[in-house]
């Protein structure tokens, strides 16, 4: 059985008459490509087992293969991603996780992970990933290097059965046996060692050198005879140069040469010598041709015998090999996800179900920012719905209320969009059964995740397509999370405020969860009592005249844009007198005193 066919657990099953076209994304052209390369049965097996590599090797673009497999393994999970921005955020998360994959095969499996449909499935995957995280974290540096080296060799050999068996033996040798490694702890080492030798001996389809002494000897003899045959005329000249003139002397000299230069037996040499040769050339050529033919047959016979013995060894160890292939691949996936969780200090989320609904995070970090510079990321605490957040940072005015809908306001470049992305990341990871980047998190698994980033395209077509994207999921009746960023950027302010108010009201009416980022908070009054307004505040300029923002929202408080800080920086950085005069006119419009105080505070901070 090929390792390509055994590595993945089957995640779906097809009826006996399943056609390739019944899989999402497989049309006539794709079907033809797969059938020509793999055959129908193997193509179906590759799709059902999530085998990206086999589909890519068959000729599909890797991205297309990934999209087909995501739908094949869990189409309902992909339906949770109700907008293109939600799908984009999902792909960004997978890319971050792939960066920590220990094998290419594990990377492919990560790429086809999807949101899960049941809490039980989420909890099970979380159990596996967190157990792997703890096991990996407990290893010392030497053991980690041993494990990674084993998987590096596994990748170098393209995940073959031999590579998997040798990786299993390396893990056994390292003595790792907890968490995900428990899958190999009870494998039969002796059978695996025998299988590893057999697989190495049969690598490439032929019995390899070193597998059998007699086969190696016969191959060496054959090689030496072939070399002589290729230069028979020079050999005849050499024998004659030694003074051999008569037929019997030539025959004896040739026999002596064959016995000294090869390991061929004297009986085989004499049996090969022709009795009716007409001259030296005919005699030498006939002998060497017969020897080549006899030795080739002997090599083939011996190789067939050895190969049969090796196949018997593999058959005897088949169960151990299959278990090793599956275990090594599963460990690779769990370790990859564990390394991702450790890299970003991710924890187990709590799931909220039933009549209650909540999304809450305590000290959550945005993964895209953390991937670039983790030290600069300010953790944020935020909550919607019936949450259990009871404490907030010292300078925050209150614990968040239990409203399921909020309107988030505040300074430009104040982190409002980043907060939406962070909530989106937490919900996506949790519903995929993965740890989340927060000290603590509560998540309601949702039927639709509506994530809408700010798109600065001001035309009727964009407005219509956006409404078609975000309203139907909200109206469907399922559990929905709305994360909408600056809706006003796609239409005129007056209409934007009316439409946004309608979206907030619809979200409340459907008992959905939602955060709406906007600069139009005042124009939305009065909001439904089930919605609140939160704010993010800029605090001034730092000594380098960069905007200082406290990214932690304050609850039930309207945040304000801070144009005076931006104008202050423009005044300070003006390149010439006329430019400065222009910015000072703007400073008078927003308040000279505020601008001067901002610049004075920045200078004071620099002097400190």
């Amino acid at each position: 059985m090929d390792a390509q066919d055994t590595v993945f657990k089957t995640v779906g099953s097809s009826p006996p008459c399943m056609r390739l076209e019944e899989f999402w994304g497989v049309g006539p052209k794709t079907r033809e490509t797969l059938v020509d390369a793999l055959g129908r049965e193997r193509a179906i097996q590759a799709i059902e087992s999530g085998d990206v590599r086999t589909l890519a090797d068959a000729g599909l673009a890797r991205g297309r293969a990934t999209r087909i497999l995501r739908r094949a393994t869990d189409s309902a999970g992909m339906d949770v991603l109700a907008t293109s921005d939600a799908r984009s955020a999902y792909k960004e998360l997978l890319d971050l996780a792939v960066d920590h994959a220990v094998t290419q095969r594990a990377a492919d499996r990560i790429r086809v992970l999807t949101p899960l449909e049941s809490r039980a499935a989420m909890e099970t995957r979380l159990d596996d990933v967190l157990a792997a995280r703890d096991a990996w974290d407990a290893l010392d540096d030497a053991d980690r290097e041993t494990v990674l080296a084993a998987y590096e060799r596994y990748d170098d050999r393209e995940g073959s059965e031999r590579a998997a068996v040798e990786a299993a033996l390396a893990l056994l040798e390292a003595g790792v046996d907890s968490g995900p490694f428990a899958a190999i702890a009870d494998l039969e080492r002796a059978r695996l060692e025998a299988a590893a030798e057999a697989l190495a001996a049969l690598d490439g389809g032929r019995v390899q050198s070193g597998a059998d002494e007699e086969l190696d000897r016969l191959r060496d003899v054959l090689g030496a005879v072939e070399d002589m045959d290729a230069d028979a005329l020079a050999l005849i000249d050499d024998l004659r140069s030694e003074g051999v003139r008569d037929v019997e002397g030539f025959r004896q000299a040739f026999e002596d040469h064959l016995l000294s230069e090869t390991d061929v037996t004297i009986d085989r040499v004499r049996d090969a010598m022709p009795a009716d040769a007409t001259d030296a050339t005919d005699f030498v050529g006939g002998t060497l041709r017969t020897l080549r033919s006899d030795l080739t047959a002997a090599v083939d016979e011996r190789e067939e015998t050895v190969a049969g013995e090796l196949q018997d060894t593999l058959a005897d160890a088949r169960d151990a090999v299959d278990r090793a292939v599956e275990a090594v691949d599963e460990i690779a996936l769990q370790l990859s996800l564990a390394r991702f969780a450790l890299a970003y200090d991710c924890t187990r989320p709590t799931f909220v179900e039933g009549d209650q609904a909540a999304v809450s995070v305590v000290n959550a970090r945005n993964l895209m920012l953390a991937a670039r510079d983790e030290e600069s990321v300010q953790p944020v605490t935020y909550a919607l719905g019936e949450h259990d957040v009871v404490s907030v940072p010292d300078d925050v005015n209150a614990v968040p209320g239990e409203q399921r809908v909020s309107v988030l306001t505040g300074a430009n470049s104040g982190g409002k969009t980043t907060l939406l992305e962070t909530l989106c990341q937490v919900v996506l990871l949790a519903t995929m059964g993965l740890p989340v980047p927060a000290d603590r998190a509560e998540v309601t698994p949702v039927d639709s995740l509506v994530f809408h980033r700010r798109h600065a395209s001001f035309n009727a077509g964009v407005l219509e397509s956006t409404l078609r994207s975000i309203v139907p999921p909200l109206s469907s009746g399922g559990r929905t999370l709305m994360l909408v960023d600056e809706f006003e950027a796609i239409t005129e302010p007056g209409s934007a405020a009316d439409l946004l108010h309608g979206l907030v009201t619809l979200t409340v009416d459907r008992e959905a969860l939602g955060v709406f980022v906007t600069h139009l908070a005042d124009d939305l009054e009065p909001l439904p009592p089930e919605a609140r307004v939160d704010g993010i505040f800029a605090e001034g300029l730092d000594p380098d005249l960069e905007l200082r923002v406290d990214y932690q929202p304050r609850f039930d408080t309207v945040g304000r844009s801070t144009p005076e800080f931006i104008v202050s920086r423009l005044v300070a950085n003006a390149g010439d007198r006329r430019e400065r005069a222009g910015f000072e006119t703007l400073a008078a419009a927003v308040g000279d005193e505020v601008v001067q105080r901002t610049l004075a505070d920045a200078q004071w901070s620099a002097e400190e």
Side-chain angles (χ1 to χ4, degrees):
M1 183 180 298
D2 194 294
Q4 294 281 352
D5 298 330
T6 60
V7 157
F8 287 111
K9 291 181 178 179
T10 300
V11 293
S13 60
S14 61
C17 59
M18 184 76 179
R19 296 185 305 135
L20 276 170
E21 292 97 325
E22 293 177 17
F23 290 108
W24 181 94
V26 178
K29 185 176 181 181
T30 300
R31 180 209 60 201
E32 184 178 351
T33 298
L34 293 178
V35 170
D36 287 348
L38 303 172
R40 175 184 169 277
E41 294 302 325
R42 192 176 174 208
I44 290 174
Q45 183 182 39
I47 292 174
E48 291 186 334
S49 61
D51 194 342
V52 174
R53 178 183 294 176
T54 294
L55 297 184
D57 290 346
L60 293 193
R62 207 172 197 91
R64 179 167 181 76
T66 299
R67 290 192 295 274
I68 290 172
L69 293 181
R70 286 172 182 156
R71 289 286 181 175
T73 55
D74 193 348
S75 60
M78 290 302 294
D79 289 341
V80 169
L81 309 175
T83 61
S84 60
D85 287 326
R87 293 187 287 274
S88 176
Y90 158 79
K91 293 172 186 175
E92 290 168 357
L93 287 176
L94 293 184
D95 287 341
L96 286 182
V98 162
D99 288 341
H100 299 276
V102 298
T103 65
Q104 181 58 54
R105 207 167 188 78
D108 287 339
R109 292 187 68 183
I110 289 171
R111 288 188 180 97
V112 298
L113 293 178
T114 65
L116 299 168
E117 294 183 65
S118 71
R119 174 175 173 175
M122 298 171 199
E123 296 280 13
T124 297
R125 184 176 286 166
L126 276 166
D127 289 342
D128 292 340
V129 174
L130 291 172
R133 180 200 64 184
D134 294 343
W136 183 252
D137 195 33
L139 295 181
D140 59 31
D141 290 342
D143 283 343
R144 288 188 185 187
E145 290 176 5
T146 297
V147 172
L148 292 177
Y151 276 115
E152 184 175 352
R153 290 192 296 272
Y154 173 90
D155 251 8
D156 289 342
R157 291 181 176 143
E158 298 185 344
S160 65
E161 280 193 339
R162 176 188 175 187
V165 170
E166 290 179 349
L169 287 169
L171 295 177
L172 286 169
E173 184 66 27
V176 290
D177 58 5
S178 63
F181 301 111
I184 63 162
D186 61 347
L187 292 178
E188 300 172 80
R189 185 190 295 253
R191 286 196 174 188
L192 284 182
E193 289 172 344
E197 292 181 5
L199 288 165
L202 290 171
D203 197 19
R206 293 197 61 193
V207 177
Q208 300 299 301
S209 175
D212 180 73
E213 289 185 6
E214 175 61 12
L215 179 59
D216 289 346
R217 188 190 71 78
L218 288 171
R219 284 172 170 170
D220 289 343
V221 173
L222 177 59
V225 170
E226 288 174 336
D227 290 344
M228 287 184 190
D229 192 26
D231 203 11
L233 293 178
L235 172 60
I236 293 171
D237 290 342
D238 288 343
L239 293 176
R240 285 173 172 169
S241 69
E242 294 175 2
V244 177
R245 291 290 181 266
D246 61 276
V247 172
E248 186 58 32
F250 186 89
R251 177 190 179 97
Q252 187 62 50
F254 180 43
E255 179 181 295
D256 291 343
H257 182 80
L258 284 171
L259 294 175
S260 65
E261 296 299 320
T262 73
D263 195 24
V264 68
T265 64
I266 190 170
D267 290 339
R268 190 183 292 275
V269 170
R270 288 176 177 175
D271 288 344
M273 288 180 172
D276 55 352
T278 58
D279 54 29
T281 301
D282 190 22
F283 176 73
V284 170
T287 301
L288 293 177
R289 284 193 299 274
T290 300
L291 279 176
R292 286 183 61 180
S293 177
D294 290 348
L295 287 169
T296 297
V299 166
D300 291 344
E301 181 180 356
R302 183 60 188 173
E303 183 169 13
E304 183 178 351
T305 299
V306 174
E309 293 171 351
L310 293 171
Q311 292 291 357
D312 289 343
T313 298
L314 286 176
D316 184 58
R318 173 47 54 194
D319 181 63
V321 170
D322 289 346
R323 289 171 60 203
V325 167
E326 183 175 353
V328 165
D329 186 61
E330 191 63 25
I331 291 169
L333 174 62
Q334 301 304 335
L335 284 188
S336 301
L337 296 174
R339 281 156 46 89
F340 166 70
L342 275 173
Y344 296 105
D345 196 21
C346 294
T347 61
R348 186 186 200 108
T350 298
F351 293 106
V352 180
E353 291 189 317
D355 293 335
Q356 291 188 321
V359 172
S360 74
V361 292
V362 174
N363 290 330
R365 284 86 58 190
N366 183 284
L367 286 179
M368 304 311 295
L369 295 181
R372 294 195 290 269
D373 182 9
E374 188 166 7
E375 293 183 359
S376 68
V377 177
Q378 179 185 338
V380 172
T381 295
Y382 202 74
L384 299 170
E386 295 87 347
H387 60 82
D388 288 334
V389 177
V390 295
S391 63
V392 292
D394 291 341
D395 56 350
V396 177
N397 60 321
V399 171
E402 293 190 350
Q403 297 90 347
R404 295 187 180 186
V405 181
S406 71
V407 173
L408 185 60
T409 61
N412 291 319
S413 302
K416 301 183 297 298
T417 299
T418 299
L419 176 56
L420 286 191
E421 290 178 347
T422 304
L423 294 175
C424 183
Q425 291 168 4
V426 168
V427 172
L428 278 174
L429 288 170
T431 55
M432 285 193 287
L434 300 177
V436 302
D439 291 354
R440 190 161 61 85
E442 299 169 285
V443 172
T444 292
V446 295
D447 301 307
S448 296
L449 174 58
V450 176
F451 180 38
H452 172 75
R453 287 188 171 108
R454 180 181 185 274
H455 298 281
S457 297
F458 195 75
N459 63 65
V462 172
L463 174 62
E464 180 177 354
S465 64
T466 299
L467 291 175
R468 286 183 177 275
S469 172
I470 67 178
V471 173
L474 186 56
S475 303
S476 65
R479 183 74 74 189
T480 302
L481 173 62
M482 303 287 291
L483 300 172
V484 179
D485 186 20
E486 293 195 34
F487 179 80
E488 61 264 28
I490 60 175
T491 189
E492 61 271 12
S495 297
D498 293 337
L499 287 170
L500 185 54
H501 191 282
L503 283 174
V504 172
T505 301
L506 182 60
T507 304
V508 168
D509 290 344
R510 293 294 187 270
E511 297 184 338
L513 297 159
V515 181
F516 295 85
V517 168
T518 184
H519 292 286
L520 304 178
D522 291 339
D523 298 325
L524 299 182
E525 295 295 342
L527 286 171
E530 296 86 354
R532 69 170 190 260
V533 177
D534 300 329
I536 293 177
F537 291 81
E539 299 178 331
L541 300 178
D542 66 15
D544 296 322
L545 300 180
E546 296 296 329
L547 193 64
R548 287 189 296 110
V549 178
D550 180 6
Y551 297 109
Q552 170 59 55
R554 299 169 195 176
F555 303 104
D556 289 309
T557 303
V558 177
R560 297 296 179 188
S561 296
T562 50
E564 66 272 16
F565 296 147
I566 305 302
V567 172
S568 299
R569 181 166 61 186
L570 293 171
V571 169
N573 290 331
D576 56 47
R577 190 173 300 174
R578 285 180 299 177
E579 182 179 299
R580 184 182 181 89
F583 289 131
E584 285 176 341
T585 300
L586 296 181
V590 299
D592 276 321
E593 293 183 6
V594 175
V595 169
Q596 294 306 317
R597 185 168 61 249
T598 298
L599 293 175
D601 289 343
Q603 183 178 3
W604 177 266
S605 298
E607 291 173 353
E608 286 183 335

